[in-house]
Amino acid sequence: MAPKSVLITGANGHLGFRALVSALEAGYQVRAVVRRPVAAEQIKNAKSIQPYHNKLEIVFVQDLLKEGAFDDAVVGVDYILHIASPVSRPSTDYYADFIEPAVQGTLGLLRSATKSPSVKRVVITSSIAVLNLALDKISEIDLAPAPDQHAAFPSVFAAYSASKQIALSETTKFLETTKPGFDVVHILPAVILGRNELATSTEDFKSGTNRYILNIVLGVDAPAPMLGASVHVNDVGLIHVLALDEKITVGETGVRNFIASAGGVTWGDVNGVVRERFHEEVEKGVLKLGGKLDTKVVNFDTSTTNEVFWLKWKGFEDQVESVVSAYLSVKDKEESK
């Protein structure tokens, strides 16, 4: 039998690349979507990809919001991992930077998928931000109501959360009205941490979720608290691939959600982890520590995810070590040039 094939959007992103590697390691034939040739070269030159060039095809979709943008890309694939989506970052236009790309990008992909009868399942990267964070204990079914797309959001995080909430809600409506030949799984990750193999400069660490760790170890204060839950990027990438297994059922609705979180964290604990595991760098002042990032306490119930995937989560200390060691390695290479 020919190997199963999977299309991966956002394949050069922090999570997308890890999912790409996990899919290749699992034996899938992978079609990776990127927007620019430089991203394709990054992927092809990465060390983790070298054994799998014969299983990898890279296609270009420059405008993810264009109607029919994915029509050609989805032809003949068995599964789709839709990971491309805006991340939380500074913005002056919340609708253009968060809402529109998350919602229209997802719906456009789903519409394209309906045109390819080979597609059996679409796995979409969502976020714990779609959940009702006011509850004492939060499960995958505790969804927050989706706001109006053009609401006046009070902060970047509120706009980011809304983009994920609306995208999930619109996906559910799409399935109800369209009844396509595929089902949908949403993965709801906590704050994603861990080495990004495609980050090759210290500047790369100033964006994405790894920056929360880096700011603390470099003594930079954050302006707002962060949710107290995290997960290693390798674990999230693997769960996306494991979720392609059609033995994992979704029920009559055609959609199912899974929380991806290794457990609760207190962001101030980063300082202690780094002092213990990078004592020499702290003593030399390479890592200054002391950056402040307050924690918004949350309690997620991951029992469903644990029962389905049987994954041994990498803990917070390993997540922190992964980020800091990657940063120090890149920093050393830059300084040795």
Side-chain angles (χ1 to χ4, degrees):
M1 291 180 62
K4 296 288 188 178
S5 58
V6 56
L7 176 78
I8 303 179
T9 70
N12 62 311
H14 185 201
L15 173 58
F17 181 75
R18 280 312 312 171
L20 168 62
V21 173
S22 292
L24 290 168
E25 290 175 343
Y28 286 94
Q29 193 74 33
V30 177
R31 185 178 296 163
V33 175
V34 298
R35 289 189 294 173
R36 300 177 300 276
V38 64
E41 291 304 310
Q42 272 189 309
I43 291 173
K44 287 189 287 188
N45 293 333
K47 183 177 180 180
S48 296
I49 299 299
Q50 299 315 303
Y52 303 109
H53 277 204
N54 64 328
K55 292 180 174 294
L56 175 65
E57 175 190 5
I58 298 179
V59 298
F60 296 96
V61 178
Q62 292 184 337
D63 185 358
L64 305 186
L65 303 186
K66 183 180 178 181
E67 186 63 32
F70 296 100
D71 283 2
D72 292 336
V74 302
V75 173
V77 298
D78 298 295
Y79 309 109
I80 298 172
L81 297 183
H82 181 45
I83 300 175
S85 188
V87 298
S88 182
R89 58 184 174 83
S91 169
T92 57
D93 188 338
Y94 292 157
Y95 180 80
D97 291 340
F98 295 108
I99 308 299
E100 186 178 29
V103 177
Q104 299 308 321
T106 300
L107 291 178
L109 177 68
L110 293 174
R111 284 192 288 267
S112 290
T114 62
K115 302 173 186 178
S116 178
S118 62
V119 177
K120 303 173 183 67
R121 172 165 293 173
V122 180
V123 176
I124 300 174
T125 308
S126 184
S127 169
I128 54 172
V130 303
L131 300 171
N132 184 351
L133 303 179
L135 298 178
D136 292 334
K137 192 169 187 178
I138 310 160
S139 77
E140 69 282 351
I141 64 172
D142 296 319
L143 299 176
D148 180 80
Q149 294 192 26
H150 296 281
F153 301 107
S155 67
V156 167
F157 182 73
Y160 166 76
S161 299
S163 73
K164 293 294 190 180
Q165 292 162 359
I166 298 167
L168 189 147
S169 176
E170 290 298 316
T171 295
T172 303
K173 293 176 184 176
F174 179 89
L175 295 174
E176 291 173 348
T177 58
T178 307
K179 301 189 185 306
F182 55 83
D183 54 32
V184 170
V185 172
H186 286 106
I187 306 299
L188 282 51
V191 180
I192 300 174
L193 303 173
R195 177 175 177 259
N196 179 359
E197 187 177 342
L198 300 187
T200 56
S201 72
T202 52
E203 192 69 22
D204 291 336
F205 286 80
K206 294 180 180 180
S207 61
T209 46
N210 279 343
R211 75 183 187 276
Y212 300 128
I213 299 297
L214 185 63
N215 285 345
I216 293 172
V217 301
L218 296 182
V220 179
D221 292 343
M226 178 54 55
L227 296 176
S230 65
V231 63
H232 199 293
V233 64
N234 291 17
D235 289 342
V236 189
L238 178 57
I239 280 184
H240 276 71
V241 175
L242 294 176
L244 297 175
D245 186 347
E246 293 174 61
K247 293 178 183 177
I248 298 173
T249 58
V250 300
E252 294 181 1
T253 63
V255 62
R256 191 172 182 184
N257 307 327
F258 292 101
I259 296 174
S261 173
V265 303
T266 300
W267 293 101
D269 291 346
V270 169
N271 291 295
V273 174
V274 174
R275 283 194 188 94
E276 179 182 342
R277 301 201 178 188
F278 299 94
H279 178 75
E280 185 176 342
E281 287 81 2
V282 173
E283 288 294 306
K284 291 180 178 179
V286 177
L287 303 176
K288 299 176 183 179
L289 300 185
K292 184 179 180 182
L293 176 57
D294 292 334
T295 302
K296 176 179 172 55
V297 177
V298 285
N299 182 16
F300 293 107
D301 178 1
T302 59
S303 57
T304 298
T305 305
N306 296 338
E307 289 169 6
V308 171
F309 296 105
W310 291 90
L311 185 70
K312 185 177 181 181
W313 302 100
K314 295 177 178 63
F316 187 55
E317 292 188 1
D318 290 338
Q319 297 166 28
V320 172
E321 182 174 19
S322 179
V323 174
V324 176
S325 61
Y327 169 75
L328 291 173
S329 176
V330 169
K331 187 173 187 295
D332 286 343
K333 288 179 181 178
E334 283 186 346
E335 293 177 348
S336 65
K337 289 181 180 179

